[in-house]
Amino acid sequence: QVQLVESGGGLVQAGGSLRLSCAASGRTFSRYDMGWFRQAPGKERESVAAIIWSGRTTYYADSVKGRFTISRDNAKNTVYLQMNSLKPEDTAVYYCAARRSDYSGSIYYAQAGYEYWGQGTQVTVSS
């Protein structure tokens, strides 16, 4: 069982930056791929960024590529999402999630297979 707690959300003006953190419980954090997902009002949840267990491979949605950076610190059981040059369309509830690194049912940045989810943190970007 993995428990995830996100933090770092808030209100920021367009062009600003935020850093989201997701702290995970348990001693096996390094056995999990981690992802950040978001859901805007009236829209389906979408993948934003993901990072495999070792940190060597990352994924970014086209809409955030070049602006967001995902990273992890396995010693601290924490995954981060640095968000720069924020746009109003980035406004959403952001969720971190974990899936076992040996899950083979889907590619690591797809929502399927992510079995543990945080409660979400609101990010609001004003124009």
Side-chain angles (χ1 to χ4, degrees), residues 52-116:
I52 67 167
W53 65 274
S54 66
R56 291 182 177 179
T57 303
T58 57
Y59 159 83
Y60 297 95
D62 287 343
S63 59
V64 307
K65 205 171 291 184
R67 299 187 298 121
F68 290 12
T69 302
I70 188 171
S71 61
R72 67 189 295 160
D73 186 336
N74 286 347
K76 295 182 178 180
N77 284 12
T78 303
V79 62
Y80 305 96
L81 185 67
Q82 177 67 43
M83 305 186 295
N84 298 329
S85 302
L86 282 161
K87 304 175 180 180
E89 50 263 45
D90 294 319
T91 295
V93 178
Y94 283 71
Y95 300 90
C96 75
R99 73 166 216 176
R100 292 181 58 89
S101 60
D102 59 358
Y103 178 80
S104 59
S106 65
I107 199 162
Y108 72 99
Y109 51 81
Q111 294 188 52
Y114 278 86
E115 56 183 319
Y116 302 108

Side-chain angles (χ1 to χ4, degrees), residues 3-78:
Q3 292 184 326
L4 304 172
V5 179
E6 302 101 333
S7 62
L11 173 64
V12 65
Q13 289 187 332
S17 298
L18 284 174
R19 188 194 197 200
L20 304 184
S21 298
C22 175
S25 65
R27 296 176 291 178
T28 59
F29 178 72
S30 61
R31 296 181 185 176
Y32 290 85
D33 300 330
M34 299 297 296
W36 284 98
F37 304 85
R38 68 187 181 187
Q39 187 166 21
K43 295 187 177 181
E44 293 188 354
R45 189 167 58 193
E46 62 177 354
S47 300
V48 175
I51 187 167
I52 67 167
W53 65 274
S54 66
R56 291 182 177 179
T57 303
T58 57
Y59 159 83
Y60 297 95
D62 287 343
S63 59
V64 307
K65 205 171 291 184
R67 299 187 298 121
F68 290 12
T69 302
I70 188 171
S71 61
R72 67 189 295 160
D73 186 336
N74 286 347
K76 295 182 178 180
N77 284 12
T78 303

